[in-house]
Amino acid sequence: MKRKKIIAGNWKMNHTIAETSGFINEIKGHVSEISDVDIVLCPTFTSLQTAVNLTRDTIVGVGAQNVHWDRNGAFTGEISLAMLLEIPVDYVILGHSERRQYFGESDETVNKRLKSTLTTLIKPIVCIGEKLGERESGITEKVIARQLNDSLNGITADQMDNVVIAYEPVWAIGTGVTATPDQAQEVHAFIRNLINEKYSANVSENIRIQYGGSVKSSNADDLLSQPDIDGALVGGASLDCSEFVKIIRSAE
Ligand code: 13P
């Protein structure tokens, strides 16, 4: 089975509305002939509407960087699914390691966000990944298994159709240190095997697992040619249009 590659740019807290417009107007001309890759931009909340308006007639999808699980209420600084659906966005990133590190995100809250998101047609990108100390102590698989199991708690095989997993080793994020293609492939195969055990061969063969962590045009070919790497979640290199387009081309 051939899984369609998915290249997503996680802009984190970068690009104003004006910068978002400039980027999208530039990228439009480069992606009009691409059809065999899913391309997603994840700007900040304030730029989402602009991004959706400007990408309307293109193949570029738009994702948010987080969403709350409750419908509405007293949650200062949070955004609801109804708000994202009104824009409307196609994807939402859940459980990014920066949310875990700085904002108290846990597997339990990722699971709540995921369950709510899956009541809509917005596709969640669920992030997991071990820290440097965990890798060095040889517990990478244990950490990944716990994060995956707890995040997916109560999610059915049918719901998994809409889920994308992003493997992002924390030690490779924003550090310039990329996991080698072999290191990444090893964990991706491990994740696919866990999904096979938890669900079925069918679910595990269909699910897309992106790699994230210092992906750039110079390493994208090698990473994306691994059998279990189905795309990339790109941080820093997605802020530069020509660099991001090169990464998309690697996925073609
Ligand atoms: P970098 O590509 O900047 O390492 O960030 C990766 C990331 O966190 C994407 O979500």
Side-chain angles (χ1 to χ4, degrees), residues 1 15 22 25-26 36-37 44 50 58 72 75 107 166 168 175 180 184 196 198 200 205 230-231 238 246 252:
M1 123 106 241
H15 284 344
N25 287 329
E26 190 182 343
D36 53 354
V37 180
T44 59
T50 302
T58 74
N72 60 277
F75 301 106
D107 295 329
E168 299 204 308
T175 57
T180 65
N196 183 14
K198 190 174 168 70
S200 66
E205 278 159 25
D230 308 313
S238 72
K246 282 185 201 154
E252 273 195 296

Side-chain angles (χ1 to χ4, degrees), residues 10 12 96 98 168 172-175 212-215 233-237:
N10 174 10
K12 309 189 180 185
H96 191 278
E98 286 148 18
E168 299 204 308
I173 294 178
T175 57
S214 299
V215 175
L233 185 54
V234 188

Side-chain angles (χ1 to χ4, degrees), residues 45-103:
F45 288 130
T46 52
S47 289
L48 285 175
Q49 188 68 68
T50 302
V52 166
N53 292 348
L54 291 176
T55 53
R56 195 152 280 142
D57 298 321
T58 74
I59 66 148
V60 179
V62 174
Q65 297 175 15
N66 196 13
V67 72
H68 197 265
W69 55 86
D70 251 313
R71 296 169 84 90
N72 60 277
F75 301 106
T76 303
E78 291 286 324
I79 296 279
S80 76
L81 281 157
M83 292 163 190
L84 293 184
L85 284 165
E86 192 177 38
I87 289 177
V89 306
D90 311 294
Y91 292 85
V92 63
I93 299 171
L94 299 180
H96 191 278
S97 65
E98 286 148 18
R99 300 295 319 166
R100 295 173 189 262
Q101 186 178 350
Y102 305 123
F103 303 101

Side-chain angles (χ1 to χ4, degrees), residues 69 100 105-114 150-151:
W69 55 86
R100 295 173 189 262
E105 189 80 70
S106 65
D107 295 329
E108 193 192 350
T109 53
V110 173
N111 180 248
K112 286 180 167 188
R113 294 179 207 280
L114 179 60
D150 293 357
S151 306

Side-chain angles (χ1 to χ4, degrees), residues 34-252:
I34 296 175
S35 61
D36 53 354
V37 180
D38 282 338
I39 304 168
V40 185
L41 294 175
C42 303
T44 59
F45 288 130
T46 52
S47 289
L48 285 175
Q49 188 68 68
T50 302
V52 166
N53 292 348
L54 291 176
T55 53
R56 195 152 280 142
D57 298 321
T58 74
I59 66 148
V60 179
V62 174
Q65 297 175 15
N66 196 13
V67 72
H68 197 265
W69 55 86
D70 251 313
R71 296 169 84 90
N72 60 277
F75 301 106
T76 303
E78 291 286 324
I79 296 279
S80 76
L81 281 157
M83 292 163 190
L84 293 184
L85 284 165
E86 192 177 38
I87 289 177
V89 306
D90 311 294
Y91 292 85
V92 63
I93 299 171
L94 299 180
H96 191 278
S97 65
E98 286 148 18
R99 300 295 319 166
R100 295 173 189 262
Q101 186 178 350
Y102 305 123
F103 303 101
E105 189 80 70
S106 65
D107 295 329
E108 193 192 350
T109 53
V110 173
N111 180 248
K112 286 180 167 188
R113 294 179 207 280
L114 179 60
K115 279 186 174 147
S116 294
T117 302
L118 289 171
T119 64
T120 73
L121 290 177
I122 298 175
K123 296 182 186 67
I125 298 176
V126 179
C127 302
I128 55 177
E130 82 286 2
K131 300 190 190 115
L132 182 59
E134 293 166 337
R135 175 160 283 263
E136 285 174 347
S137 4
I139 56 166
T140 297
E141 293 193 346
K142 195 171 153 217
V143 170
I144 295 294
R146 189 205 68 226
Q147 290 178 338
L148 197 73
N149 272 321
D150 293 357
S151 306
L152 298 180
N153 184 26
I155 305 302
T156 66
D158 284 349
Q159 288 178 310
M160 289 297 284
D161 278 351
N162 269 340
V163 176
V164 177
I165 305 284
Y167 168 58
E168 299 204 308
V170 178
W171 47 272
I173 294 178
T175 57
V177 181
T178 322
T180 65
D182 285 348
Q183 280 175 323
Q185 165 57 27
E186 193 181 10
V187 181
H188 281 237
F190 176 72
I191 294 169
R192 201 176 300 287
N193 189 47
L194 286 177
I195 292 173
N196 183 14
E197 284 168 7
K198 190 174 168 70
Y199 295 99
S200 66
N202 191 37
V203 172
S204 74
E205 278 159 25
N206 283 309
I207 193 148
R208 294 183 294 177
I209 308 172
Q210 297 177 294
Y211 169 78
S214 299
V215 175
K216 12 184 201 288
S217 60
S218 56
N219 57 29
D221 273 350
D222 287 343
L223 287 161
L224 292 168
S225 59
Q226 296 298 315
D228 289 296
I229 300 185
D230 308 313
L233 185 54
V234 188
S238 72
L239 296 171
D240 179 87
C241 187
S242 66
E243 179 69 5
F244 190 55
V245 168
K246 282 185 201 154
I247 296 170
I248 294 166
R249 296 239 175 260
S250 289
E252 273 195 296

